[in-house]
Amino acid sequence: MYCLNGTEVGVNDQDTNAAVQPLYQLKESDWWFHHENKCDEFPPAAGDFLELPVDGEFTVELAVNRAFTTYSFGGMNVAQFGDGEDHPQLGVSPDGKDSTTGCIVNPNIHAQNESMAAGTAFAISYTSNMKEVTKENLAVFTVLYHTPWRRIATYSVPHLPSCPEPGGCICAWGWVANGCGEPNMYMQPFKCRVTGNTGEAAVATAVPPVWCEDDQTKCVQGPKQMVYWNQLEGNNVEVSGFDLAGDPKAPTYNVKLGFSDGWYASSMVRSDADSAFQGAQTDIFHSAGSATPTYIKPSPSKSSSAELRVSNIFGTIVWLACGCAAVLMWCA
C-alpha cells in the first residue's frame, strides 16, 4: 500500500492516518490518488501487493487509526469496531451518537446505523505505472454495501484477468458517505495483483456512474468509474435535490448509482450459496478472448486475512494488508 508508514521519510509511524485524510474541494492534481499530502509518493516496498484471488475474497480491517488494527502494536488494541471498542449496541442505542443529529460520531463512520452505512469500493487499473492511470482505465470491480461499519470487512473478486508482470496493477479504495458530516470523498492507492486461475476477458473502459435510485433503467451498464465529487475540479458525478428517503442526495457506492451487490445481474435469482460473491461487479468485461488466461500463484501468506487501513481527519481508518502486501486506504 502507499504511505503505509506515513509520509515522513525513514519513519514507520504505527499511529499514522496520512493515507486516509478526507478529500474535499481540492484541485484534481491534489485529490487524485491522495496527492495532497504526497501519499502517492510513498509506494509500497518492492514485491508488496494487495492480492486479489480470482472468484474469491479478501478481508480488510476498517479502523479509526492504524493503532487499532492487527498491523500495529502486535494487535493489542483491536476490538470489534475500528476505534478499539466493541460497542455492543452501536447504531441501536445512543452509544457514540450525536444527540442532535443521531449520527454516530464515535467512531465517526458518517451513518446513523449499519443499514445506513453508504458502501465502499475497490477499483483496478491494468498498468503498473500510476502516471498511466486514468478515470477511464480505473474500473470499480467490487463494492461492499453497509460499510464502513465493523473492523472486519470482506470483499469479493470477480473473474479478473491477470495483471502486468512483474509490476502488477494499480488499485484504489473509495468511499463517499451518505450524509452525517462533510460531503467529501476518499481515494487511497495500492499496488495489487490478481492471483489464481485468471480470466480470459479484459476489463472494459469505465464510464461515470449516474444517479438511478428512482429509475433503475437509467443505471449505467458495464464498468463504472470511481466516484469523484465535491472537488474544485475533475468531478464526474453531480447530484442535487433529495433521495427517496428524503435526505440530500449523495453519490454512494450502492444501488443509487447502479453498483450491484450480487454475483449475478440484478434480474437473476441468487441463492444463498452465491452470497460469498456479494458485491463482485461482473458486468465490467470485454468479450472472452480479449485477455490471456493463466495461473498466478499467490504469495506466501503472512496471515490468514488481509488488512486494510484507511483513516480520515474525523478519525476513521481502513487498514489493508494482503499476505506479504500491506495496503492502506481510507474509510470513515
Short mmCIF file of all heavy atoms in Angstrom, two decimals, residues 160-203:
data_model
loop_
_atom_site.label_atom_id
_atom_site.label_comp_id
_atom_site.label_asym_id
_atom_site.label_seq_id
_atom_site.Cartn_x
_atom_site.Cartn_y
_atom_site.Cartn_z
N LEU A 160 -11.33 -11.74 -12.74
CA LEU A 160 -10.41 -10.75 -13.31
C LEU A 160 -9.30 -11.40 -14.11
O LEU A 160 -8.82 -12.49 -13.77
CB LEU A 160 -9.80 -9.91 -12.19
CG LEU A 160 -10.72 -8.98 -11.41
CD1 LEU A 160 -9.96 -8.35 -10.24
CD2 LEU A 160 -11.31 -7.90 -12.30
N PRO A 161 -8.83 -10.73 -15.16
CA PRO A 161 -7.64 -11.21 -15.88
C PRO A 161 -6.37 -10.88 -15.08
O PRO A 161 -6.42 -10.14 -14.09
CB PRO A 161 -7.69 -10.42 -17.19
CG PRO A 161 -8.40 -9.15 -16.83
CD PRO A 161 -9.42 -9.53 -15.78
N SER A 162 -5.26 -11.41 -15.51
CA SER A 162 -4.00 -11.20 -14.80
C SER A 162 -3.49 -9.78 -15.01
O SER A 162 -3.83 -9.10 -15.98
CB SER A 162 -2.95 -12.21 -15.28
OG SER A 162 -2.70 -12.04 -16.67
N CYS A 163 -2.65 -9.35 -14.08
CA CYS A 163 -2.03 -8.02 -14.15
C CYS A 163 -0.70 -8.10 -14.90
O CYS A 163 -0.14 -9.19 -15.08
CB CYS A 163 -1.79 -7.50 -12.74
SG CYS A 163 -3.30 -7.07 -11.84
N PRO A 164 -0.16 -6.98 -15.33
CA PRO A 164 1.17 -6.97 -15.94
C PRO A 164 2.21 -7.49 -14.95
O PRO A 164 2.11 -7.23 -13.75
CB PRO A 164 1.42 -5.49 -16.27
CG PRO A 164 0.07 -4.86 -16.27
CD PRO A 164 -0.76 -5.62 -15.29
N GLU A 165 3.16 -8.24 -15.44
CA GLU A 165 4.26 -8.73 -14.59
C GLU A 165 5.56 -8.03 -15.00
O GLU A 165 5.76 -7.74 -16.18
CB GLU A 165 4.40 -10.24 -14.75
CG GLU A 165 3.24 -11.05 -14.18
CD GLU A 165 3.17 -11.01 -12.66
OE1 GLU A 165 4.17 -10.61 -12.03
OE2 GLU A 165 2.11 -11.36 -12.11
N PRO A 166 6.42 -7.72 -14.02
CA PRO A 166 6.30 -8.07 -12.60
C PRO A 166 5.68 -6.98 -11.74
O PRO A 166 5.54 -7.13 -10.54
CB PRO A 166 7.75 -8.28 -12.19
CG PRO A 166 8.48 -7.25 -13.00
CD PRO A 166 7.76 -7.18 -14.33
N GLY A 167 5.27 -5.86 -12.38
CA GLY A 167 4.86 -4.70 -11.60
C GLY A 167 3.46 -4.70 -11.06
O GLY A 167 3.11 -3.88 -10.20
N GLY A 168 2.61 -5.65 -11.56
CA GLY A 168 1.24 -5.71 -11.07
C GLY A 168 0.36 -4.58 -11.57
O GLY A 168 0.71 -3.86 -12.52
N CYS A 169 -0.78 -4.42 -10.96
CA CYS A 169 -1.76 -3.39 -11.32
C CYS A 169 -1.74 -2.28 -10.26
O CYS A 169 -1.10 -2.39 -9.22
CB CYS A 169 -3.16 -3.97 -11.38
SG CYS A 169 -3.47 -5.15 -12.70
N ILE A 170 -2.46 -1.21 -10.57
CA ILE A 170 -2.73 -0.16 -9.59
C ILE A 170 -4.20 -0.29 -9.18
O ILE A 170 -5.09 -0.37 -10.02
CB ILE A 170 -2.49 1.24 -10.17
CG1 ILE A 170 -1.03 1.42 -10.58
CG2 ILE A 170 -2.89 2.31 -9.15
CD1 ILE A 170 -0.04 1.39 -9.44
N CYS A 171 -4.45 -0.33 -7.89
CA CYS A 171 -5.81 -0.40 -7.36
C CYS A 171 -6.10 0.82 -6.50
O CYS A 171 -5.18 1.56 -6.11
CB CYS A 171 -6.03 -1.67 -6.53
SG CYS A 171 -6.23 -3.19 -7.50
N ALA A 172 -7.36 1.04 -6.20
CA ALA A 172 -7.75 2.14 -5.32
C ALA A 172 -8.97 1.74 -4.52
O ALA A 172 -9.80 0.95 -4.98
CB ALA A 172 -8.05 3.40 -6.13
N TRP A 173 -9.04 2.25 -3.31
CA TRP A 173 -10.21 2.07 -2.45
C TRP A 173 -10.95 3.39 -2.36
O TRP A 173 -10.32 4.45 -2.29
CB TRP A 173 -9.76 1.64 -1.06
CG TRP A 173 -10.86 1.41 -0.06
CD1 TRP A 173 -11.53 0.25 0.19
CD2 TRP A 173 -11.41 2.37 0.85
NE1 TRP A 173 -12.45 0.43 1.19
CE2 TRP A 173 -12.39 1.73 1.62
CE3 TRP A 173 -11.14 3.73 1.09
CZ2 TRP A 173 -13.13 2.38 2.61
CZ3 TRP A 173 -11.88 4.38 2.08
CH2 TRP A 173 -12.86 3.71 2.82
N GLY A 174 -12.27 3.35 -2.39
CA GLY A 174 -13.04 4.58 -2.34
C GLY A 174 -14.25 4.50 -1.45
O GLY A 174 -14.79 3.42 -1.18
N TRP A 175 -14.68 5.66 -0.99
CA TRP A 175 -15.88 5.76 -0.14
C TRP A 175 -16.43 7.16 -0.23
O TRP A 175 -15.68 8.15 -0.22
CB TRP A 175 -15.54 5.42 1.30
CG TRP A 175 -16.65 5.62 2.30
CD1 TRP A 175 -17.90 5.09 2.24
CD2 TRP A 175 -16.59 6.40 3.48
NE1 TRP A 175 -18.63 5.50 3.34
CE2 TRP A 175 -17.84 6.29 4.11
CE3 TRP A 175 -15.59 7.17 4.09
CZ2 TRP A 175 -18.14 6.94 5.32
CZ3 TRP A 175 -15.88 7.82 5.29
CH2 TRP A 175 -17.14 7.69 5.89
N VAL A 176 -17.74 7.25 -0.35
CA VAL A 176 -18.48 8.51 -0.24
C VAL A 176 -19.56 8.29 0.81
O VAL A 176 -20.36 7.36 0.70
CB VAL A 176 -19.12 8.92 -1.58
CG1 VAL A 176 -20.02 10.13 -1.39
CG2 VAL A 176 -18.04 9.23 -2.62
N ALA A 177 -19.58 9.12 1.83
CA ALA A 177 -20.54 8.95 2.92
C ALA A 177 -21.93 9.41 2.51
O ALA A 177 -22.08 10.25 1.61
CB ALA A 177 -20.07 9.71 4.15
N ASN A 178 -22.92 8.87 3.19
CA ASN A 178 -24.32 9.23 2.94
C ASN A 178 -24.77 10.23 4.00
O ASN A 178 -25.57 9.92 4.87
CB ASN A 178 -25.21 7.98 2.96
CG ASN A 178 -26.63 8.29 2.54
OD1 ASN A 178 -26.87 9.26 1.81
ND2 ASN A 178 -27.58 7.50 2.99
N GLY A 179 -24.20 11.44 3.94
CA GLY A 179 -24.56 12.45 4.93
C GLY A 179 -23.77 12.30 6.22
O GLY A 179 -22.72 11.68 6.27
N CYS A 180 -24.29 12.90 7.30
CA CYS A 180 -23.64 12.85 8.62
C CYS A 180 -22.23 13.41 8.58
O CYS A 180 -21.26 12.75 8.97
CB CYS A 180 -23.63 11.43 9.17
SG CYS A 180 -25.18 10.92 9.94
N GLY A 181 -22.10 14.63 8.10
CA GLY A 181 -20.79 15.25 8.11
C GLY A 181 -20.44 15.90 6.79
O GLY A 181 -21.28 16.01 5.88
N GLU A 182 -19.21 16.34 6.67
CA GLU A 182 -18.73 16.99 5.46
C GLU A 182 -18.90 16.08 4.25
O GLU A 182 -18.51 14.91 4.29
CB GLU A 182 -17.25 17.34 5.63
CG GLU A 182 -16.65 18.09 4.46
CD GLU A 182 -15.17 18.39 4.71
OE1 GLU A 182 -14.35 17.46 4.54
OE2 GLU A 182 -14.85 19.54 5.07
N PRO A 183 -19.48 16.56 3.14
CA PRO A 183 -19.71 15.72 1.95
C PRO A 183 -18.46 15.55 1.11
O PRO A 183 -18.34 16.06 0.01
CB PRO A 183 -20.81 16.49 1.20
CG PRO A 183 -20.54 17.93 1.54
CD PRO A 183 -20.06 17.92 2.98
N ASN A 184 -17.52 14.78 1.64
CA ASN A 184 -16.24 14.60 0.98
C ASN A 184 -16.15 13.23 0.32
O ASN A 184 -17.15 12.51 0.21
CB ASN A 184 -15.10 14.81 1.99
CG ASN A 184 -15.36 14.07 3.28
OD1 ASN A 184 -15.84 12.94 3.27
ND2 ASN A 184 -15.06 14.69 4.41
N MET A 185 -14.96 12.85 -0.09
CA MET A 185 -14.75 11.53 -0.69
C MET A 185 -13.38 11.01 -0.25
O MET A 185 -12.58 11.74 0.35
CB MET A 185 -14.83 11.59 -2.21
CG MET A 185 -13.65 12.29 -2.86
SD MET A 185 -13.69 12.23 -4.67
CE MET A 185 -11.94 12.48 -5.03
N TYR A 186 -13.11 9.75 -0.59
CA TYR A 186 -11.85 9.12 -0.22
C TYR A 186 -11.31 8.32 -1.41
O TYR A 186 -12.06 7.70 -2.15
CB TYR A 186 -12.04 8.22 0.99
CG TYR A 186 -12.62 8.98 2.16
CD1 TYR A 186 -13.99 9.11 2.30
CD2 TYR A 186 -11.79 9.60 3.08
CE1 TYR A 186 -14.53 9.84 3.34
CE2 TYR A 186 -12.33 10.33 4.13
CZ TYR A 186 -13.70 10.45 4.26
OH TYR A 186 -14.22 11.18 5.29
N MET A 187 -9.99 8.37 -1.55
CA MET A 187 -9.33 7.63 -2.63
C MET A 187 -7.93 7.26 -2.16
O MET A 187 -7.10 8.13 -1.91
CB MET A 187 -9.25 8.48 -3.90
CG MET A 187 -8.66 7.74 -5.10
SD MET A 187 -8.51 8.83 -6.54
CE MET A 187 -8.16 7.63 -7.83
N GLN A 188 -7.67 5.97 -2.00
CA GLN A 188 -6.39 5.50 -1.50
C GLN A 188 -5.76 4.50 -2.46
O GLN A 188 -6.39 3.53 -2.87
CB GLN A 188 -6.57 4.86 -0.12
CG GLN A 188 -5.36 4.14 0.42
CD GLN A 188 -4.16 5.05 0.58
OE1 GLN A 188 -4.31 6.24 0.79
NE2 GLN A 188 -2.98 4.50 0.48
N PRO A 189 -4.49 4.73 -2.86
CA PRO A 189 -3.84 3.86 -3.85
C PRO A 189 -3.17 2.63 -3.26
O PRO A 189 -2.69 2.64 -2.13
CB PRO A 189 -2.81 4.78 -4.49
CG PRO A 189 -2.44 5.74 -3.39
CD PRO A 189 -3.69 5.94 -2.58
N PHE A 190 -3.10 1.59 -4.09
CA PHE A 190 -2.42 0.34 -3.77
C PHE A 190 -1.71 -0.21 -5.00
O PHE A 190 -2.12 0.03 -6.12
CB PHE A 190 -3.43 -0.74 -3.35
CG PHE A 190 -4.33 -0.36 -2.22
CD1 PHE A 190 -5.48 0.37 -2.45
CD2 PHE A 190 -4.03 -0.73 -0.92
CE1 PHE A 190 -6.31 0.73 -1.41
CE2 PHE A 190 -4.86 -0.38 0.12
CZ PHE A 190 -6.00 0.36 -0.13
N LYS A 191 -0.69 -0.99 -4.75
CA LYS A 191 -0.16 -1.91 -5.75
C LYS A 191 -0.92 -3.22 -5.55
O LYS A 191 -1.04 -3.71 -4.43
CB LYS A 191 1.34 -2.13 -5.56
CG LYS A 191 2.22 -1.00 -6.03
CD LYS A 191 2.41 -1.05 -7.54
CE LYS A 191 3.48 -0.09 -8.01
NZ LYS A 191 3.70 -0.19 -9.46
N CYS A 192 -1.41 -3.83 -6.63
CA CYS A 192 -2.21 -5.04 -6.47
C CYS A 192 -1.87 -6.04 -7.57
O CYS A 192 -1.28 -5.69 -8.60
CB CYS A 192 -3.71 -4.71 -6.49
SG CYS A 192 -4.26 -3.82 -7.97
N ARG A 193 -2.22 -7.29 -7.34
CA ARG A 193 -2.04 -8.33 -8.36
C ARG A 193 -3.15 -9.35 -8.22
O ARG A 193 -3.63 -9.65 -7.12
CB ARG A 193 -0.66 -8.99 -8.25
CG ARG A 193 -0.45 -9.78 -6.98
CD ARG A 193 1.02 -10.13 -6.76
NE ARG A 193 1.52 -11.10 -7.73
CZ ARG A 193 1.64 -12.40 -7.48
NH1 ARG A 193 1.27 -12.89 -6.30
NH2 ARG A 193 2.13 -13.21 -8.39
N VAL A 194 -3.59 -9.86 -9.37
CA VAL A 194 -4.64 -10.88 -9.41
C VAL A 194 -3.98 -12.25 -9.32
O VAL A 194 -2.98 -12.52 -10.02
CB VAL A 194 -5.46 -10.75 -10.71
CG1 VAL A 194 -6.53 -11.85 -10.79
CG2 VAL A 194 -6.10 -9.36 -10.79
N THR A 195 -4.52 -13.14 -8.49
CA THR A 195 -3.93 -14.47 -8.32
C THR A 195 -4.96 -15.56 -8.62
O THR A 195 -6.15 -15.33 -8.67
CB THR A 195 -3.41 -14.65 -6.88
OG1 THR A 195 -4.50 -14.57 -5.95
CG2 THR A 195 -2.36 -13.61 -6.54
N GLY A 196 -4.45 -16.77 -8.83
CA GLY A 196 -5.29 -17.91 -9.15
C GLY A 196 -5.44 -18.09 -10.64
O GLY A 196 -4.61 -17.63 -11.44
N ASN A 197 -6.49 -18.78 -11.06
CA ASN A 197 -6.78 -19.01 -12.48
C ASN A 197 -7.46 -17.77 -13.05
O ASN A 197 -8.66 -17.57 -12.88
CB ASN A 197 -7.66 -20.24 -12.64
CG ASN A 197 -6.93 -21.52 -12.26
OD1 ASN A 197 -5.87 -21.83 -12.80
ND2 ASN A 197 -7.48 -22.26 -11.30
N THR A 198 -6.69 -16.95 -13.73
CA THR A 198 -7.18 -15.64 -14.15
C THR A 198 -8.09 -15.73 -15.36
O THR A 198 -8.11 -16.72 -16.10
CB THR A 198 -6.00 -14.72 -14.45
OG1 THR A 198 -5.26 -15.22 -15.57
CG2 THR A 198 -5.08 -14.61 -13.24
N GLY A 199 -8.85 -14.66 -15.59
CA GLY A 199 -9.87 -14.64 -16.62
C GLY A 199 -9.36 -14.43 -18.02
O GLY A 199 -8.22 -14.02 -18.25
N GLU A 200 -10.24 -14.70 -19.00
CA GLU A 200 -9.90 -14.55 -20.41
C GLU A 200 -10.59 -13.36 -21.05
O GLU A 200 -10.61 -13.22 -22.27
CB GLU A 200 -10.28 -15.83 -21.18
CG GLU A 200 -11.75 -16.17 -21.13
CD GLU A 200 -12.06 -17.41 -21.96
OE1 GLU A 200 -11.13 -17.96 -22.57
OE2 GLU A 200 -13.25 -17.80 -22.02
N ALA A 201 -11.15 -12.48 -20.22
CA ALA A 201 -11.79 -11.27 -20.73
C ALA A 201 -11.19 -10.05 -20.05
O ALA A 201 -11.10 -9.99 -18.82
CB ALA A 201 -13.30 -11.32 -20.48
N ALA A 202 -10.75 -9.08 -20.83
CA ALA A 202 -10.16 -7.87 -20.29
C ALA A 202 -11.23 -6.96 -19.71
O ALA A 202 -12.42 -7.03 -20.09
CB ALA A 202 -9.40 -7.13 -21.40
N VAL A 203 -10.83 -6.11 -18.78
CA VAL A 203 -11.75 -5.12 -18.22
C VAL A 203 -11.94 -4.00 -19.23
O VAL A 203 -10.97 -3.45 -19.77
CB VAL A 203 -11.21 -4.57 -16.88
CG1 VAL A 203 -12.10 -3.45 -16.35
CG2 VAL A 203 -11.11 -5.70 -15.85
#
